[in-house]
mmCIF file of all heavy atoms in Angstrom:
data_model
loop_
_atom_site.group_PDB
_atom_site.id
_atom_site.type_symbol
_atom_site.label_atom_id
_atom_site.label_comp_id
_atom_site.label_asym_id
_atom_site.label_seq_id
_atom_site.Cartn_x
_atom_site.Cartn_y
_atom_site.Cartn_z
ATOM 1 N N TYR H 10 -0.321 25.726 9.814
ATOM 2 C CA TYR H 10 -1.308 26.742 9.537
ATOM 3 C C TYR H 10 -1.051 27.969 10.450
ATOM 4 O O TYR H 10 -0.595 27.851 11.592
ATOM 5 C CB TYR H 10 -2.740 26.214 9.882
ATOM 6 C CG TYR H 10 -3.145 25.244 8.950
ATOM 7 C CD1 TYR H 10 -2.870 23.871 9.016
ATOM 8 C CD2 TYR H 10 -3.974 25.597 7.809
ATOM 9 C CE1 TYR H 10 -3.377 22.961 8.195
ATOM 10 C CE2 TYR H 10 -4.404 24.732 6.874
ATOM 11 C CZ TYR H 10 -4.150 23.352 7.139
ATOM 12 O OH TYR H 10 -4.532 22.400 6.177
ATOM 13 N N TYR H 11 -1.533 29.193 10.000
ATOM 14 C CA TYR H 11 -1.442 30.392 10.769
ATOM 15 C C TYR H 11 -2.685 31.215 10.336
ATOM 16 O O TYR H 11 -2.938 31.455 9.156
ATOM 17 C CB TYR H 11 -0.124 31.199 10.534
ATOM 18 C CG TYR H 11 -0.235 32.488 11.367
ATOM 19 C CD1 TYR H 11 0.016 32.386 12.732
ATOM 20 C CD2 TYR H 11 -0.429 33.734 10.798
ATOM 21 C CE1 TYR H 11 0.096 33.483 13.503
ATOM 22 C CE2 TYR H 11 -0.388 34.858 11.581
ATOM 23 C CZ TYR H 11 -0.180 34.752 12.885
ATOM 24 O OH TYR H 11 -0.203 35.914 13.738
ATOM 25 N N ASN H 12 -3.550 31.502 11.290
ATOM 26 C CA ASN H 12 -4.804 32.193 11.042
ATOM 27 C C ASN H 12 -5.661 31.434 9.987
ATOM 28 O O ASN H 12 -6.217 32.043 8.997
ATOM 29 C CB ASN H 12 -4.575 33.708 10.534
ATOM 30 C CG ASN H 12 -4.276 34.579 11.675
ATOM 31 O OD1 ASN H 12 -4.488 34.237 12.873
ATOM 32 N ND2 ASN H 12 -3.699 35.694 11.359
ATOM 33 N N LYS H 13 -5.736 30.100 10.132
ATOM 34 C CA LYS H 13 -6.574 29.237 9.256
ATOM 35 C C LYS H 13 -6.099 29.151 7.831
ATOM 36 O O LYS H 13 -6.780 28.660 6.960
ATOM 37 C CB LYS H 13 -8.016 29.634 9.321
ATOM 38 C CG LYS H 13 -8.693 29.606 10.581
ATOM 39 C CD LYS H 13 -10.140 30.004 10.512
ATOM 40 C CE LYS H 13 -10.699 29.967 11.804
ATOM 41 N NZ LYS H 13 -12.121 30.334 11.870
ATOM 42 N N LEU H 14 -4.849 29.606 7.677
ATOM 43 C CA LEU H 14 -4.202 29.578 6.225
ATOM 44 C C LEU H 14 -3.003 28.628 6.293
ATOM 45 O O LEU H 14 -2.171 28.859 7.025
ATOM 46 C CB LEU H 14 -3.894 31.006 5.818
ATOM 47 C CG LEU H 14 -3.138 31.051 4.448
ATOM 48 C CD1 LEU H 14 -4.143 30.749 3.318
ATOM 49 C CD2 LEU H 14 -2.563 32.540 4.235
ATOM 50 N N GLU H 15 -3.050 27.688 5.406
ATOM 51 C CA GLU H 15 -1.938 26.776 5.324
ATOM 52 C C GLU H 15 -0.717 27.508 4.728
ATOM 53 O O GLU H 15 -0.889 28.061 3.621
ATOM 54 C CB GLU H 15 -2.205 25.516 4.520
ATOM 55 C CG GLU H 15 -1.143 24.532 4.449
ATOM 56 C CD GLU H 15 -1.457 23.325 3.663
ATOM 57 O OE1 GLU H 15 -2.437 23.370 2.842
ATOM 58 O OE2 GLU H 15 -0.830 22.268 3.883
ATOM 59 N N PHE H 16 0.381 27.536 5.386
ATOM 60 C CA PHE H 16 1.492 28.254 4.763
ATOM 61 C C PHE H 16 2.706 27.340 4.496
ATOM 62 O O PHE H 16 3.538 27.655 3.724
ATOM 63 C CB PHE H 16 2.024 29.377 5.686
ATOM 64 C CG PHE H 16 2.617 29.083 7.041
ATOM 65 C CD1 PHE H 16 3.951 28.886 7.167
ATOM 66 C CD2 PHE H 16 1.730 28.749 8.044
ATOM 67 C CE1 PHE H 16 4.551 28.571 8.403
ATOM 68 C CE2 PHE H 16 2.389 28.458 9.283
ATOM 69 C CZ PHE H 16 3.798 28.345 9.391
ATOM 70 N N LEU H 17 2.714 26.179 4.980
ATOM 71 C CA LEU H 17 3.826 25.187 4.835
ATOM 72 C C LEU H 17 3.262 23.763 4.971
ATOM 73 O O LEU H 17 2.467 23.416 5.791
ATOM 74 C CB LEU H 17 4.953 25.461 5.818
ATOM 75 C CG LEU H 17 6.185 24.617 5.850
ATOM 76 C CD1 LEU H 17 6.979 25.013 4.528
ATOM 77 C CD2 LEU H 17 6.986 24.955 7.010
ATOM 78 N N ARG H 18 3.864 22.871 4.179
ATOM 79 C CA ARG H 18 3.448 21.468 4.212
ATOM 80 C C ARG H 18 4.661 20.528 3.912
ATOM 81 O O ARG H 18 5.388 20.876 2.961
ATOM 82 C CB ARG H 18 2.353 21.166 3.213
ATOM 83 C CG ARG H 18 2.000 19.748 3.020
ATOM 84 C CD ARG H 18 1.048 19.464 1.955
ATOM 85 N NE ARG H 18 -0.204 20.127 2.223
ATOM 86 C CZ ARG H 18 -1.344 19.972 1.367
ATOM 87 N NH1 ARG H 18 -1.154 19.325 0.190
ATOM 88 N NH2 ARG H 18 -2.396 20.604 1.682
ATOM 89 N N PHE H 19 4.786 19.411 4.604
ATOM 90 C CA PHE H 19 5.678 18.389 4.310
ATOM 91 C C PHE H 19 4.826 17.304 3.695
ATOM 92 O O PHE H 19 3.952 16.797 4.342
ATOM 93 C CB PHE H 19 6.492 17.892 5.401
ATOM 94 C CG PHE H 19 7.363 16.725 5.084
ATOM 95 C CD1 PHE H 19 8.616 16.925 4.516
ATOM 96 C CD2 PHE H 19 6.986 15.456 5.209
ATOM 97 C CE1 PHE H 19 9.428 15.932 4.054
ATOM 98 C CE2 PHE H 19 7.741 14.400 4.954
ATOM 99 C CZ PHE H 19 8.999 14.645 4.302
ATOM 100 N N ASP H 20 5.193 16.824 2.582
ATOM 101 C CA ASP H 20 4.527 15.766 1.884
ATOM 102 C C ASP H 20 5.554 14.645 1.656
ATOM 103 O O ASP H 20 6.570 14.877 0.854
ATOM 104 C CB ASP H 20 3.892 16.204 0.532
ATOM 105 C CG ASP H 20 3.044 15.201 -0.107
ATOM 106 O OD1 ASP H 20 3.168 14.016 0.137
ATOM 107 O OD2 ASP H 20 2.224 15.598 -1.018
ATOM 108 N N SER H 21 5.329 13.455 2.076
ATOM 109 C CA SER H 21 6.256 12.394 2.092
ATOM 110 C C SER H 21 6.383 11.862 0.562
ATOM 111 O O SER H 21 7.421 11.352 0.087
ATOM 112 C CB SER H 21 5.943 11.212 2.917
ATOM 113 O OG SER H 21 4.714 10.570 2.533
ATOM 114 N N ASN H 22 5.348 12.127 -0.260
ATOM 115 C CA ASN H 22 5.414 11.671 -1.630
ATOM 116 C C ASN H 22 6.330 12.582 -2.364
ATOM 117 O O ASN H 22 7.035 12.199 -3.371
ATOM 118 C CB ASN H 22 4.074 11.668 -2.357
ATOM 119 C CG ASN H 22 3.288 10.445 -1.909
ATOM 120 O OD1 ASN H 22 3.841 9.493 -1.320
ATOM 121 N ND2 ASN H 22 1.967 10.475 -2.209
ATOM 122 N N VAL H 23 6.358 13.898 -2.051
ATOM 123 C CA VAL H 23 7.247 14.814 -2.681
ATOM 124 C C VAL H 23 8.647 14.706 -2.092
ATOM 125 O O VAL H 23 9.659 14.996 -2.759
ATOM 126 C CB VAL H 23 6.738 16.294 -2.480
ATOM 127 C CG1 VAL H 23 7.634 17.365 -3.043
ATOM 128 C CG2 VAL H 23 5.310 16.431 -3.131
ATOM 129 N N GLY H 24 8.707 14.478 -0.738
ATOM 130 C CA GLY H 24 9.988 14.356 -0.130
ATOM 131 C C GLY H 24 10.590 15.502 0.448
ATOM 132 O O GLY H 24 11.769 15.636 0.726
ATOM 133 N N LYS H 25 9.864 16.597 0.443
ATOM 134 C CA LYS H 25 10.325 17.943 0.871
ATOM 135 C C LYS H 25 9.272 18.802 1.427
ATOM 136 O O LYS H 25 8.064 18.391 1.259
ATOM 137 C CB LYS H 25 11.153 18.591 -0.124
ATOM 138 C CG LYS H 25 10.373 19.008 -1.383
ATOM 139 C CD LYS H 25 11.295 19.691 -2.408
ATOM 140 C CE LYS H 25 10.411 20.298 -3.533
ATOM 141 N NZ LYS H 25 11.139 21.010 -4.489
ATOM 142 N N PHE H 26 9.541 20.024 1.919
ATOM 143 C CA PHE H 26 8.607 20.928 2.422
ATOM 144 C C PHE H 26 8.199 21.814 1.302
ATOM 145 O O PHE H 26 9.134 22.091 0.390
ATOM 146 C CB PHE H 26 9.244 21.848 3.502
ATOM 147 C CG PHE H 26 9.385 21.136 4.855
ATOM 148 C CD1 PHE H 26 10.462 20.453 5.139
ATOM 149 C CD2 PHE H 26 8.410 21.128 5.745
ATOM 150 C CE1 PHE H 26 10.683 19.763 6.335
ATOM 151 C CE2 PHE H 26 8.445 20.521 6.963
ATOM 152 C CZ PHE H 26 9.653 19.784 7.353
ATOM 153 N N VAL H 27 6.963 22.219 1.172
ATOM 154 C CA VAL H 27 6.545 23.143 0.142
ATOM 155 C C VAL H 27 5.886 24.281 0.848
ATOM 156 O O VAL H 27 5.048 24.115 1.738
ATOM 157 C CB VAL H 27 5.502 22.390 -0.756
ATOM 158 C CG1 VAL H 27 4.957 23.374 -1.826
ATOM 159 C CG2 VAL H 27 6.097 21.151 -1.463
ATOM 160 N N GLY H 28 6.199 25.531 0.404
ATOM 161 C CA GLY H 28 5.555 26.719 0.981
ATOM 162 C C GLY H 28 4.440 27.263 0.078
ATOM 163 O O GLY H 28 4.591 27.182 -1.150
ATOM 164 N N TYR H 29 3.389 27.772 0.696
ATOM 165 C CA TYR H 29 2.285 28.375 0.059
ATOM 166 C C TYR H 29 2.172 29.801 0.169
ATOM 167 O O TYR H 29 1.256 30.410 -0.592
ATOM 168 C CB TYR H 29 1.041 27.613 0.482
ATOM 169 C CG TYR H 29 0.979 26.197 0.192
ATOM 170 C CD1 TYR H 29 1.185 25.195 1.105
ATOM 171 C CD2 TYR H 29 0.865 25.666 -1.206
ATOM 172 C CE1 TYR H 29 1.216 23.882 0.754
ATOM 173 C CE2 TYR H 29 0.869 24.417 -1.563
ATOM 174 C CZ TYR H 29 1.043 23.390 -0.549
ATOM 175 O OH TYR H 29 1.177 22.163 -0.819
ATOM 176 N N THR H 30 2.815 30.425 1.008
ATOM 177 C CA THR H 30 2.890 31.806 1.255
ATOM 178 C C THR H 30 4.330 32.318 1.190
ATOM 179 O O THR H 30 5.218 31.539 1.171
ATOM 180 C CB THR H 30 2.228 32.329 2.557
ATOM 181 O OG1 THR H 30 3.037 31.751 3.645
ATOM 182 C CG2 THR H 30 0.796 31.712 2.742
ATOM 183 N N GLU H 31 4.574 33.641 1.286
ATOM 184 C CA GLU H 31 5.938 34.128 1.282
ATOM 185 C C GLU H 31 6.605 33.578 2.470
ATOM 186 O O GLU H 31 7.767 33.139 2.359
ATOM 187 C CB GLU H 31 5.776 35.708 1.356
ATOM 188 C CG GLU H 31 7.220 36.364 1.306
ATOM 189 C CD GLU H 31 7.127 37.854 1.288
ATOM 190 O OE1 GLU H 31 6.082 38.448 1.079
ATOM 191 O OE2 GLU H 31 8.204 38.487 1.572
ATOM 192 N N LEU H 32 6.005 33.620 3.688
ATOM 193 C CA LEU H 32 6.687 33.064 4.831
ATOM 194 C C LEU H 32 6.924 31.534 4.672
ATOM 195 O O LEU H 32 7.938 31.007 5.061
ATOM 196 C CB LEU H 32 5.778 33.260 6.057
ATOM 197 C CG LEU H 32 6.274 32.672 7.423
ATOM 198 C CD1 LEU H 32 7.641 33.215 7.843
ATOM 199 C CD2 LEU H 32 5.183 32.817 8.439
ATOM 200 N N GLY H 33 5.887 30.940 4.059
ATOM 201 C CA GLY H 33 6.169 29.393 3.937
ATOM 202 C C GLY H 33 7.154 29.119 3.017
ATOM 203 O O GLY H 33 7.815 28.099 3.147
ATOM 204 N N VAL H 34 7.400 29.814 1.876
ATOM 205 C CA VAL H 34 8.433 29.566 0.983
ATOM 206 C C VAL H 34 9.753 29.721 1.601
ATOM 207 O O VAL H 34 10.695 28.910 1.361
ATOM 208 C CB VAL H 34 8.198 30.406 -0.287
ATOM 209 C CG1 VAL H 34 9.438 30.370 -1.208
ATOM 210 C CG2 VAL H 34 6.954 30.026 -1.070
ATOM 211 N N LYS H 35 9.881 30.834 2.396
ATOM 212 C CA LYS H 35 11.223 31.058 3.090
ATOM 213 C C LYS H 35 11.465 29.904 4.037
ATOM 214 O O LYS H 35 12.672 29.419 4.096
ATOM 215 C CB LYS H 35 11.094 32.262 3.850
ATOM 216 C CG LYS H 35 11.152 33.573 2.890
ATOM 217 C CD LYS H 35 11.173 34.732 3.693
ATOM 218 C CE LYS H 35 11.001 36.108 2.807
ATOM 219 N NZ LYS H 35 11.041 37.318 3.466
ATOM 220 N N ASN H 36 10.435 29.445 4.727
ATOM 221 C CA ASN H 36 10.602 28.311 5.736
ATOM 222 C C ASN H 36 10.960 27.014 5.025
ATOM 223 O O ASN H 36 11.770 26.247 5.435
ATOM 224 C CB ASN H 36 9.516 28.236 6.643
ATOM 225 C CG ASN H 36 9.458 29.320 7.767
ATOM 226 O OD1 ASN H 36 10.560 29.531 8.420
ATOM 227 N ND2 ASN H 36 8.338 29.866 7.974
ATOM 228 N N ALA H 37 10.257 26.811 3.907
ATOM 229 C CA ALA H 37 10.532 25.554 3.169
ATOM 230 C C ALA H 37 11.902 25.571 2.605
ATOM 231 O O ALA H 37 12.510 24.513 2.743
ATOM 232 C CB ALA H 37 9.555 25.587 2.052
ATOM 233 N N GLU H 38 12.417 26.682 2.150
ATOM 234 C CA GLU H 38 13.832 26.632 1.667
ATOM 235 C C GLU H 38 14.799 26.386 2.801
ATOM 236 O O GLU H 38 15.704 25.653 2.701
ATOM 237 C CB GLU H 38 14.110 28.005 1.097
ATOM 238 C CG GLU H 38 13.447 28.350 -0.283
ATOM 239 C CD GLU H 38 13.645 29.798 -0.691
ATOM 240 O OE1 GLU H 38 14.301 30.547 -0.006
ATOM 241 O OE2 GLU H 38 13.197 30.139 -1.853
ATOM 242 N N ARG H 39 14.593 26.912 3.962
ATOM 243 C CA ARG H 39 15.425 26.700 5.053
ATOM 244 C C ARG H 39 15.256 25.275 5.565
ATOM 245 O O ARG H 39 16.312 24.665 5.847
ATOM 246 C CB ARG H 39 15.002 27.613 6.224
ATOM 247 C CG ARG H 39 15.913 27.558 7.432
ATOM 248 C CD ARG H 39 15.739 28.772 8.428
ATOM 249 N NE ARG H 39 14.254 28.851 8.747
ATOM 250 C CZ ARG H 39 13.640 28.305 9.874
ATOM 251 N NH1 ARG H 39 14.416 27.696 10.644
ATOM 252 N NH2 ARG H 39 12.407 28.536 10.076
ATOM 253 N N PHE H 40 14.158 24.724 5.681
ATOM 254 C CA PHE H 40 13.926 23.429 6.141
ATOM 255 C C PHE H 40 14.484 22.362 5.149
ATOM 256 O O PHE H 40 14.960 21.227 5.574
ATOM 257 C CB PHE H 40 12.441 23.089 6.372
ATOM 258 C CG PHE H 40 11.855 23.823 7.558
ATOM 259 C CD1 PHE H 40 10.426 23.847 7.656
ATOM 260 C CD2 PHE H 40 12.609 24.381 8.468
ATOM 261 C CE1 PHE H 40 9.918 24.470 8.748
ATOM 262 C CE2 PHE H 40 11.992 25.026 9.586
ATOM 263 C CZ PHE H 40 10.658 25.100 9.793
ATOM 264 N N ASN H 41 14.384 22.663 3.867
ATOM 265 C CA ASN H 41 14.836 21.609 2.867
ATOM 266 C C ASN H 41 16.302 21.583 2.832
ATOM 267 O O ASN H 41 16.824 20.590 2.370
ATOM 268 C CB ASN H 41 14.309 22.006 1.429
ATOM 269 C CG ASN H 41 12.757 21.641 1.450
ATOM 270 O OD1 ASN H 41 12.280 20.791 2.098
ATOM 271 N ND2 ASN H 41 11.961 22.425 0.567
ATOM 272 N N LYS H 42 16.958 22.617 3.253
ATOM 273 C CA LYS H 42 18.476 22.566 3.294
ATOM 274 C C LYS H 42 18.958 21.713 4.477
ATOM 275 O O LYS H 42 20.093 21.230 4.420
ATOM 276 C CB LYS H 42 19.026 24.010 3.558
ATOM 277 C CG LYS H 42 18.931 24.845 2.326
ATOM 278 C CD LYS H 42 19.455 26.158 2.617
ATOM 279 C CE LYS H 42 19.286 27.042 1.356
ATOM 280 N NZ LYS H 42 19.671 28.511 1.675
ATOM 281 N N ASP H 43 18.067 21.417 5.486
ATOM 282 C CA ASP H 43 18.447 20.657 6.574
ATOM 283 C C ASP H 43 18.102 19.261 6.390
ATOM 284 O O ASP H 43 16.963 18.882 6.567
ATOM 285 C CB ASP H 43 17.696 21.184 7.795
ATOM 286 C CG ASP H 43 18.071 20.444 9.123
ATOM 287 O OD1 ASP H 43 18.941 19.667 9.125
ATOM 288 O OD2 ASP H 43 17.547 20.818 10.194
ATOM 289 N N THR H 44 19.152 18.434 5.879
ATOM 290 C CA THR H 44 18.890 17.009 5.566
ATOM 291 C C THR H 44 18.443 16.193 6.685
ATOM 292 O O THR H 44 17.674 15.194 6.537
ATOM 293 C CB THR H 44 20.047 16.464 4.893
ATOM 294 O OG1 THR H 44 21.214 16.503 5.701
ATOM 295 C CG2 THR H 44 20.405 17.112 3.640
ATOM 296 N N SER H 45 18.799 16.585 7.951
ATOM 297 C CA SER H 45 18.346 15.779 9.080
ATOM 298 C C SER H 45 16.896 15.966 9.382
ATOM 299 O O SER H 45 16.182 15.013 9.812
ATOM 300 C CB SER H 45 19.252 16.179 10.305
ATOM 301 O OG SER H 45 19.039 17.535 10.622
ATOM 302 N N ARG H 46 16.322 17.175 9.069
ATOM 303 C CA ARG H 46 14.974 17.374 9.280
ATOM 304 C C ARG H 46 14.171 16.597 8.256
ATOM 305 O O ARG H 46 13.124 16.028 8.566
ATOM 306 C CB ARG H 46 14.606 18.909 9.129
ATOM 307 C CG ARG H 46 13.142 19.259 9.342
ATOM 308 C CD ARG H 46 12.912 20.695 9.202
ATOM 309 N NE ARG H 46 13.594 21.486 10.133
ATOM 310 C CZ ARG H 46 13.031 22.043 11.254
ATOM 311 N NH1 ARG H 46 11.769 21.896 11.486
ATOM 312 N NH2 ARG H 46 13.689 22.782 12.056
ATOM 313 N N ILE H 47 14.598 16.521 7.040
ATOM 314 C CA ILE H 47 13.930 15.772 6.000
ATOM 315 C C ILE H 47 14.020 14.243 6.352
ATOM 316 O O ILE H 47 12.997 13.448 6.274
ATOM 317 C CB ILE H 47 14.591 15.941 4.572
ATOM 318 C CG1 ILE H 47 14.534 17.407 4.164
ATOM 319 C CG2 ILE H 47 13.920 15.057 3.531
ATOM 320 C CD1 ILE H 47 13.088 17.942 3.901
ATOM 321 N N ALA H 48 15.158 13.811 6.866
ATOM 322 C CA ALA H 48 15.209 12.395 7.187
ATOM 323 C C ALA H 48 14.320 12.091 8.428
ATOM 324 O O ALA H 48 13.754 10.997 8.498
ATOM 325 C CB ALA H 48 16.699 12.172 7.588
ATOM 326 N N ALA H 49 14.164 13.001 9.375
ATOM 327 C CA ALA H 49 13.282 12.813 10.531
ATOM 328 C C ALA H 49 11.874 12.730 9.964
ATOM 329 O O ALA H 49 11.126 11.955 10.591
ATOM 330 C CB ALA H 49 13.496 13.971 11.480
ATOM 331 N N MET H 50 11.465 13.537 9.088
ATOM 332 C CA MET H 50 10.007 13.462 8.621
ATOM 333 C C MET H 50 9.796 12.195 7.878
ATOM 334 O O MET H 50 8.663 11.558 8.042
ATOM 335 C CB MET H 50 9.801 14.685 7.732
ATOM 336 C CG MET H 50 9.812 16.102 8.398
ATOM 337 S SD MET H 50 8.632 16.289 9.750
ATOM 338 C CE MET H 50 7.193 16.311 8.922
ATOM 339 N N ASN H 51 10.769 11.726 7.100
ATOM 340 C CA ASN H 51 10.616 10.446 6.411
ATOM 341 C C ASN H 51 10.545 9.296 7.446
ATOM 342 O O ASN H 51 9.835 8.243 7.307
ATOM 343 C CB ASN H 51 11.626 10.205 5.430
ATOM 344 C CG ASN H 51 11.484 11.035 4.133
ATOM 345 O OD1 ASN H 51 10.334 11.228 3.642
ATOM 346 N ND2 ASN H 51 12.461 11.636 3.615
ATOM 347 N N ALA H 52 11.385 9.429 8.570
ATOM 348 C CA ALA H 52 11.435 8.474 9.539
ATOM 349 C C ALA H 52 9.954 8.375 10.307
ATOM 350 O O ALA H 52 9.531 7.263 10.737
ATOM 351 C CB ALA H 52 12.437 8.714 10.498
ATOM 352 N N GLN H 53 9.403 9.622 10.456
ATOM 353 C CA GLN H 53 8.001 9.558 11.032
ATOM 354 C C GLN H 53 6.984 8.748 10.136
ATOM 355 O O GLN H 53 6.216 8.109 10.706
ATOM 356 C CB GLN H 53 7.497 11.039 11.161
ATOM 357 C CG GLN H 53 8.138 11.832 12.247
ATOM 358 C CD GLN H 53 7.622 13.096 12.463
ATOM 359 O OE1 GLN H 53 6.529 13.438 11.857
ATOM 360 N NE2 GLN H 53 8.143 13.932 13.312
ATOM 361 N N ARG H 54 7.132 8.875 8.963
ATOM 362 C CA ARG H 54 6.227 8.052 7.953
ATOM 363 C C ARG H 54 6.540 6.627 8.187
ATOM 364 O O ARG H 54 5.499 5.832 8.345
ATOM 365 C CB ARG H 54 6.566 8.538 6.557
ATOM 366 C CG ARG H 54 5.835 7.601 5.522
ATOM 367 C CD ARG H 54 6.212 7.875 4.090
ATOM 368 N NE ARG H 54 5.576 6.960 3.190
ATOM 369 C CZ ARG H 54 5.969 5.750 2.930
ATOM 370 N NH1 ARG H 54 7.122 5.258 3.422
ATOM 371 N NH2 ARG H 54 5.370 4.944 2.041
ATOM 372 N N GLU H 55 7.752 6.232 8.250
ATOM 373 C CA GLU H 55 8.068 4.800 8.531
ATOM 374 C C GLU H 55 7.634 4.276 9.918
ATOM 375 O O GLU H 55 6.918 3.248 9.999
ATOM 376 C CB GLU H 55 9.519 4.571 8.402
ATOM 377 C CG GLU H 55 10.187 4.856 7.123
ATOM 378 C CD GLU H 55 9.706 4.006 6.011
ATOM 379 O OE1 GLU H 55 9.483 2.835 6.273
ATOM 380 O OE2 GLU H 55 9.567 4.501 4.848
#
Side-chain angles (χ1 to χ4, degrees):
Y10 291 85
Y11 181 74
N12 284 342
K13 299 181 183 179
L14 177 67
E15 183 179 23
F16 69 94
L17 181 67
R18 175 188 293 179
F19 177 83
D20 185 342
S21 65
N22 285 349
V23 177
K25 65 179 185 176
F26 289 88
V27 178
Y29 296 105
T30 64
E31 184 179 346
L32 174 65
V34 170
K35 289 180 183 179
N36 282 312
E38 289 172 357
R39 183 170 52 96
F40 290 166
N41 288 331
K42 289 179 185 176
D43 185 1
T44 56
S45 63
R46 185 182 295 259
I47 300 295
M50 295 302 288
N51 286 320
Q53 284 184 10
R54 176 187 174 271
E55 299 293 325

